[in-house]
């Protein structure tokens, strides 16, 4: 033992002694890097020495070396790159299977810091040595909450890189659901008595895991379908949100993550579910009757039933999203809840018709209209597009025309003069498209639009906007107004002749409105708008605790886009 100790760098000699001496707990916890550095023999070990110590036969040396790497890699991209180039990552991944808790805990902490950041080469290095599988194994076998936090934090980081999302799903989805999401959500598979269900626990490990699943839920149709079909996941997420509403705790990060996951899982259901084309709006009457008779939805479509489908489209979910829109102050949660309703109401199929009617019956339209007055751009945009989808229902269209047109128009710029909110161009286009939907086949709504002095703003946008998309959208509204011949007399008296309602011509020579049923991503794959990015780091010796959120927003059309957390801890 003395001979082994003598071969160590003085730095590790001191750390080893601190580990092996039989100090009482309180005294040994005071041993620190600062006290070690006071040793006159101390010098900084070079990185190669630290990495070599990861393979040392003595476990305390391994754990100390991993802890020191964790410390060195904290917010230091150059060190992370050097660790990767010196082949330190495979050794750390191997240590995740070490039987000693102190060793695999420190190794996982180092990997968490190495995996954080914009350098995806580090993430790929972990993947290339089967690090995702090793992390999931560690999650299954460890009972330590600290280890679970480290594992899920590392997976959250890895899930921010597009090529790794399906790997996380393939190797970890069910484990993350069974080990973290379900237990911490308070939902139980075997509980038939709702009164016995527990409240959600908003732990760090739940936040990490929900952030990871939020990432992977944005990967595409296959990823969405895998999450929808993951046993217990949708149930647990919905229960967690119901718990948040019941306990008036709706502004935390975990709630935001859960709503964003469900928003993503409701995206494009009307296209991605097998056999959806058989249940277009011609079958809507069956659903409307079910709503009136309280008949179970699974009895309505006996040959078209998936457990998760009923969960996503049940009336309780509409009430849940409306409750979040009423009580949450988190703008990301508000955007996601409105986006979920937007998704559920999208498409020309029976379930969308059912949702549009349910939102009206649950008094949801006034809640959405109120949020048009928000100062947060992304909230206004999500709500506007949700109202546009909801307006496809005739009764909704009449109500939105009566109560929302004023707020929609108030958000429009007037020529070069933007309103106090100074909304982004994408949001202005969304509002214009919603107005267009509201007045289509509704001369009465068009009349109210004129009476609300909207024509002046529409003409100003059409004439002087620097955005071709804004000009095009305003032009479509003006054309629809002018098409109602009974309104022309009133327009002419107000000084608006035919020249103000001229047809917009795009550079491509094509005319006509944007497709109102397909999301932009379908028509132009890969074009995504990065609308929000935020980083928040809380330094903790040797740890990284930071997040960056990026929302990919559909800026024009009906299906709500996907959002995901770019990197976790």
């Amino acid at each position: 033992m003395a001979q082994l100790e003598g071969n160590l760098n003085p730095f590790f000699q001191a750390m080893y002694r601190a580990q092996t001496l039989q100090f009482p707990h309180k005294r040994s916890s005071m041993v620190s890097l600062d006290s070690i550095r006071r040793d006159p023999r101390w010098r900084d070990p070079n990185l190669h020495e630290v990495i070599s110590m990861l393979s040392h036969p003595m476990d305390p040396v391994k754990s100390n070396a991993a802890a020191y790497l964790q410390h060195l890699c904290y917010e230091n991209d150059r060190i992370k790159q050097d660790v990767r180039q010196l082949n330190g990552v495979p050794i750390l991944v191997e240590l995740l299977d070490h039987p000693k808790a102190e060793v695999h805990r420190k190794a996982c902490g180092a990997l968490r810091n190495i995996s954080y950041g914009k350098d995806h080469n580090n993430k790929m290095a972990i993947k290339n040595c089967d690090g995702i599988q090793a992390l999931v194994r560690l999650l299954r076998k460890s009972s330590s909450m600290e280890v679970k936090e480290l594992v899920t934090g590392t997976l959250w980081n890895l899930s921010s890189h597009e090529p790794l999302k399906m790997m996380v799903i393939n190797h970890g989805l069910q484990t993350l659901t069974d080990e973290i999401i379900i237990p911490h959500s308070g939902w139980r598979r075997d509980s038939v008595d709702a009164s016995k269900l527990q409240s959600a626990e908003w732990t760090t490990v739940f936040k990490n895991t929900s952030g990871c699943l939020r990432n992977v839920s944005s990967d595409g149709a296959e990823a969405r379908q895998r999450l929808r079909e993951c046993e217990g996941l949708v149930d647990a997420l919905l229960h967690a949100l119901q718990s948040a509403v019941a306990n008036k705790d709706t502004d935390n990060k975990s709630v935001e993550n859960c709503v964003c996951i469900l928003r993503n899982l409701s995206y494009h259901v009307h296209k991605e579910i097998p056999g959806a084309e058989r249940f277009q709006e011609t079958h809507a009457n069956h659903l409307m009757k079910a709503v009136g008779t309280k008949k179970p939805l699974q009895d309505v479509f006996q040959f078209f039933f998936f457990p998760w489908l009923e969960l996503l489209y049940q009336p309780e979910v509409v009430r849940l999203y409306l409750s979040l829109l009423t009580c949450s102050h988190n703008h990301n949660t508000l955007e996601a809840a409105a986006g979920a309703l937007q998704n559920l109401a999208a498409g020309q199929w029976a379930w969308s018709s059912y949702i549009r009617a349910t939102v009206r019956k649950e008094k949801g339209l006034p809640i959405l209209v109120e949020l048009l007055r928000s100062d947060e751009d992304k909230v206004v945009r999500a709500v506007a597009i949700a109202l546009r989808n909801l307006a496809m229902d005739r009764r909704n269209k009449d109500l939105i025309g009566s109560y929302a047109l004023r707020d929609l128009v108030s958000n429009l710029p007037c020529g070069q003069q933007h309103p106090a909110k100074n909304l982004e161009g994408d949001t202005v286009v969304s509002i214009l498209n919603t107005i267009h939907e509201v007045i289509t086949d509704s001369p009465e709504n068009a009349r109210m639009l004129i009476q609300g002095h909207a024509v002046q703003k529409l003409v100003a946008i059409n004439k002087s906007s620097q955005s071709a998309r804004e000009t095009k959208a305003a032009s479509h509204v003006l054309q629809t107004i002018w098409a109602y011949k009974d309104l022309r007399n009133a327009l002419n008296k107000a000084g608006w002749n035919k020249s103000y309602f001229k047809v917009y011509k795009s550079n491509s020579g094509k005319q006509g409105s944007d497709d109102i049923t397909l999301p932009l991503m379908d028509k132009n794959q890969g074009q995504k708008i990065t609308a929000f990015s935020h980083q928040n780091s809380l330094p903790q010796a040797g740890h990284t605790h930071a997040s960056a959120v990026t929302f990919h927003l559909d800026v024009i059309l009906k299906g709500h886009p996907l959002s995901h957390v770019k990197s976790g801890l």
Side-chain angles (χ1 to χ4, degrees), residues 468-501:
R469 292 177 57 245
E470 286 185 16
T471 302
K472 180 180 180 180
S475 175
H476 291 153
V477 177
L478 290 169
Q479 291 169 46
T480 302
I481 294 172
W482 187 255
Y484 295 119
K485 295 181 180 180
D486 292 345
L487 302 180
R488 291 179 184 176
N489 187 45
L491 290 169
N492 286 325
K493 286 183 178 180
W496 305 112
N497 58 46
K498 184 177 181 179
S499 64
Y500 291 103
F501 302 86

Side-chain angles (χ1 to χ4, degrees), residues 43-161:
R43 69 169 175 83
D44 274 326
N46 62 50
L47 196 58
H48 186 272
E49 288 176 317
V50 178
I51 292 174
S52 69
M53 292 299 170
L54 294 173
S55 302
H56 197 277
M58 298 170 61
D59 291 339
V61 177
K62 292 176 181 176
S63 64
N64 285 334
Y68 192 47
L69 276 180
Q70 179 181 4
H71 173 74
L72 291 175
C73 291
Y74 175 58
E75 294 188 341
N76 191 321
D77 292 338
R78 182 184 61 81
I79 293 292
K80 296 177 192 178
Q81 179 180 348
D82 291 343
V83 171
R84 184 182 78 243
Q85 293 174 344
L86 289 170
N87 295 318
V89 170
I91 305 174
L92 288 168
V93 168
E94 185 179 349
L95 291 178
L96 293 177
D97 288 314
H98 195 281
K100 292 289 183 65
E102 187 67 11
V103 176
H104 62 237
R105 180 172 64 86
K106 295 293 178 60
C108 192
L111 288 170
R112 184 182 70 167
N113 282 4
I114 290 171
S115 63
Y116 174 76
K118 297 180 180 179
D119 188 348
H120 296 314
N121 291 321
N122 298 331
K123 299 177 176 66
M124 292 302 295
I126 295 174
K127 170 260 182 187
N128 290 338
C129 54
D130 296 331
I132 293 175
Q133 296 93 314
L135 288 163
V136 174
R137 284 197 301 271
L138 180 55
L139 182 62
R140 280 197 294 261
K141 76 178 183 182
S142 178
S143 59
S144 165
M145 187 58 66
E146 182 180 0
V147 170
K148 289 178 184 290
E149 289 180 8
L150 291 170
V151 169
T152 55
T154 308
L155 289 171
W156 188 2
N157 290 345
L158 296 175
S159 68
S160 70
H161 188 36

Side-chain angles (χ1 to χ4, degrees), residues 507-538:
N507 293 332
S508 64
K510 296 180 180 180
Q511 298 179 17
S513 178
D514 287 312
D515 185 329
I516 64 171
T517 60
L518 300 179
L520 183 62
M521 287 170 60
D522 270 7
K523 300 196 303 178
N524 190 3
Q525 286 290 343
Q527 180 178 349
K528 297 182 179 180
I529 307 300
T530 300
F532 177 76
S533 180
H534 172 68
Q535 285 195 335
N536 175 34
S537 61
L538 302 173

Side-chain angles (χ1 to χ4, degrees), residues 412 427-436 458 461 470 473-474 477:
L412 292 177
T427 303
V428 172
V429 171
S430 297
I431 293 168
L432 289 167
N433 289 339
T434 301
I435 293 173
H436 184 266
L458 293 167
I461 294 171
E470 286 185 16
V477 177

